[in-house]
């Protein structure tokens, strides 16, 4: 009989070899190439104009000032002055943490209208290839969809593949706030889908969670943010295997959270590479973030939950058919994202994901995964279902429920 060495050390070396092969393949097939940006983007130009602007003789504050300072500045203005600034510097105001939420919606509507006009003109630009004209048409139609009545766009940047965030519910009066942090291939053109991938796109995820939260606790005012306001990796290449994009995303996520109105508890729902973003953001999250729930995670850049150094409760789930379970759960030389969040040694509260549909089906209505997310989002921890016999989860539910009553 032939014996095979299945020692942990050998398994680690096999994983390292696999990562090295992937690195070489990606490096030689162009995945490591960078796209050059010529000149300032529209957002950068708007911020520069803001920084040289005035309102009735008053200098405008630094666009990157602390949210509290910017909030005081806007509170000192008349309604007409605020509206004037939103129309004069739409991208700057629309992405300004500290600006009133309703003013950001107004500013981003103005910015979307301008961006739509730009893309409409590009669809007839003879200097573009037919493919370029079609791309302009797709972007124009996406902007038109974002301009539909009743949509609340909290952030918008048309540069490159684009960034956007949308709110469902009323942020100003919400008792509980949820933020959906998506993974790879998130951009303007994939922000919303109407096909069978509907619940794999940020808008579909957030709308589904919002409906589930309202069903779980009709008396709780909730708001859900579809947050695609970071530049995610494109495809499953080197960008997805490293933390560079997640590091930048973590900074942006924390900036958003610190500028949210009110003091309501906030829960983060982080899918796939989005869990890397949440893991890196964890140690600097504001105290109002009560829960971090990850699904289909490749790792959170930590060896265990305690190393995240956060007061937020950490939850994790993975569908039995999710291909992410086959990735090497380690981090070596910047490649890989560390330990498996659903492993016993990680220490997260492991939740049931029964009926979830593979890697992209955690927000599909009728699944345990969505019901569990909704229970966490509204603070109804007694309704949350643990995975199997997970003692950490059951103990965590008791502790969370007791904390909620307190």
């Amino acid at each position: 009989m032939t014996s095979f060495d299945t020692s942990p050390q050998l398994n680690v070396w096999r994983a390292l070899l696999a990562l090295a092969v992937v690195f070489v393949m990606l490096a030689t097939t162009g995945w490591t190439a960078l796209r050059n940006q010529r000149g300032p983007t529209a957002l950068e130009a708007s911020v520069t104009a803001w920084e040289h602007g005035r309102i009735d003789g008053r200098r405008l504050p630094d666009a990157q000032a602390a949210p509290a300072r910017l909030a005081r500045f806007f509170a000192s203005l008349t309604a007409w002055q605020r509206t004037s600034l939103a129309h004069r510097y739409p991208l700057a105001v629309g992405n300004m943490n500290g600006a009133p939420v309703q003013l950001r919606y107004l500013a981003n509507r103005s910015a979307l209208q301008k961006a739509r006009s730009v893309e409409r003109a590009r669809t007839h630009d003879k200097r573009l290839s037919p493919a370029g004209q079609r791309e302009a048409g797709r972007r124009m139609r996406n902007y038109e969809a974002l301009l539909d009545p009743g949509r609340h766009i909290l952030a918008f940047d048309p540069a490159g593949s684009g960034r956007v965030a949308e709110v469902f519910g009323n942020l100003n009066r919400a008792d509980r706030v949820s933020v959906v942090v998506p993974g790879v291939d998130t951009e303007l053109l994939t922000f919303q889908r109407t096909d069978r991938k509907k619940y794999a796109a940020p808008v579909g995820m957030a709308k589904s969670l919002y409906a589930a939260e309202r069903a779980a606790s009709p008396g709780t005012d909730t708001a859900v943010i579809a947050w695609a306001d970071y530049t995610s990796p494109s495809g499953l290449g080197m960008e997805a295997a490293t933390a560079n994009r997640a590091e930048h995303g973590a900074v942006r996520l924390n900036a958003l959270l610190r500028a949210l109105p009110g003091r309501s508890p906030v829960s983060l729902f982080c899918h796939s590479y989005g869990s890397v973003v949440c893991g890196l953001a964890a140690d600097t999250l504001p105290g109002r973030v009560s829960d971090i729930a990850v699904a289909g995670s490749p790792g959170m850049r930590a060896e265990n939950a305690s190393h995240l150094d956060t007061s937020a409760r950490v939850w994790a789930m993975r569908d039995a058919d999710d291909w992410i379970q086959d990735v090497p759960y380690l981090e070596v030389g910047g490649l890989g994202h560390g330990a498996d969040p659903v492993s016993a040694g990680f220490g997260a509260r492991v939740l049931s994901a029964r009926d979830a549909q593979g890697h992209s089906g955690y927000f599909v209505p009728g699944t345990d995964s969505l019901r569990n997310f909704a229970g966490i989002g509204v603070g109804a921890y007694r309704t949350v279902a643990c995975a199997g016999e997970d003692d950490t989860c059951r103990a965590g539910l008791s502790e969370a429920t007791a904390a909620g009553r307190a």
Side-chain angles (χ1 to χ4, degrees):
M1 175 182 284
T2 303
S3 71
F4 296 91
D5 186 350
T6 58
S7 66
Q9 293 87 348
L10 182 58
N11 289 334
V12 168
W13 279 111
R14 284 173 175 164
L16 289 174
L17 179 60
L19 284 172
V21 170
V22 170
F23 178 84
V24 172
M25 290 177 64
L26 295 172
T28 56
T29 54
W31 278 100
T32 55
L34 298 176
R35 295 179 181 177
N36 294 320
Q37 174 72 44
R38 294 183 180 180
T41 66
L43 173 56
E44 290 168 344
S46 184
V47 170
T48 298
W50 165 278
E51 291 174 346
H52 291 87
R54 292 177 177 270
I55 185 74
D56 290 346
R58 296 171 58 186
R59 289 186 61 85
L60 302 179
D62 183 350
Q64 305 300 323
R69 180 187 173 194
L70 290 169
R72 288 193 298 270
F73 165 74
F74 282 106
S76 73
L77 303 178
T78 66
W80 180 89
Q81 289 173 323
R82 288 192 290 270
T83 300
S84 174
L85 289 175
H87 287 302
R88 283 163 57 190
Y89 313 105
L91 282 170
V93 175
N95 292 278
M96 192 174 291
N97 291 314
V101 168
Q102 294 294 334
L103 191 67
R104 291 180 68 170
Y105 297 160
L106 176 66
N108 283 319
R109 187 166 188 83
S110 179
L112 278 161
Q113 289 169 340
K114 292 182 179 181
R116 178 182 59 181
S117 296
V118 169
E119 297 303 329
R120 180 182 290 121
R122 283 166 51 83
T123 62
H124 304 291
D125 190 337
K126 301 301 182 184
R127 294 171 298 179
L128 295 179
S129 66
Q133 292 176 338
R134 288 193 296 273
E135 178 76 4
R138 289 183 64 198
R139 292 176 75 94
M140 180 187 72
R141 289 188 292 274
N142 271 267
Y143 297 155
E144 288 174 345
L146 292 172
L147 284 165
D148 283 347
R151 299 195 73 166
H152 300 134
I153 307 305
L154 186 65
F156 169 65
D157 181 2
S161 59
R163 296 195 297 250
V164 63
E166 182 173 7
V167 176
F168 299 91
N170 190 318
L171 268 181
N172 288 316
R173 69 166 189 242
D175 299 317
R176 307 277 305 197
V177 177
S178 298
V179 182
V180 175
V181 183
V184 301
D185 290 328
T186 298
E187 56 184 56
L188 277 168
L189 295 181
T190 60
F191 185 59
Q192 179 174 354
R193 296 184 176 183
T194 56
D195 58 12
R196 61 186 179 84
K197 296 182 179 180
K198 175 180 178 179
Y199 299 112
V203 168
M205 292 177 178
K207 289 179 72 173
S208 183
L209 179 59
Y210 182 55
E213 288 182 349
R214 295 175 72 187
S217 183
T220 303
D221 281 334
T222 66
V224 179
I225 303 173
W227 189 77
D229 194 27
Y230 81 106
T231 303
S232 74
S234 177
L236 300 176
M238 283 303 300
E239 290 176 344
T242 62
N244 184 54
R245 294 293 175 92
E247 289 169 351
H248 292 286
V251 172
R252 298 185 65 82
L253 178 60
N254 260 307
L256 164 83
L257 297 171
R258 294 184 181 282
L260 290 177
R263 298 181 179 179
S264 302
V266 177
S267 300
L268 303 182
F269 298 94
C270 320
H271 176 245
S272 193
Y273 189 84
S275 67
V276 186
V277 177
C278 292
L280 290 172
D283 64 344
T284 50
L285 291 173
R288 65 187 293 191
V289 177
S290 59
D291 300 276
I292 304 172
V294 303
S297 174
M300 300 181 71
R301 287 271 156 169
E303 285 309 303
N304 56 62
S306 65
H307 288 181
L308 293 172
D309 196 20
T310 177
S311 60
R313 290 175 284 269
V314 181
W315 311 83
M317 66 171 70
R318 186 173 64 219
D319 179 55
D321 296 325
D322 190 336
W323 57 261
I324 202 75
Q325 63 190 304
D326 296 323
V327 306
Y329 279 98
L330 68 160
E331 186 276 318
V332 178
L335 289 173
H337 301 300
D340 182 356
V342 302
S343 64
F346 190 80
R349 299 160 171 85
V350 181
L351 301 169
S352 170
R354 186 170 55 87
D355 296 328
Q357 300 175 10
H359 186 63
S360 59
Y362 292 96
F363 291 83
V364 174
T367 59
D368 265 11
S369 51
L370 181 62
R371 281 189 290 269
N372 282 333
F373 281 165
I376 292 169
V378 299
Y381 299 104
R382 65 188 180 281
T383 68
V384 173
C386 297
E389 300 297 319
D390 190 83
D391 293 334
T392 300
C393 178
R394 285 201 298 272
L397 291 179
S398 299
E399 175 249 325
T401 301
R405 291 196 188 104

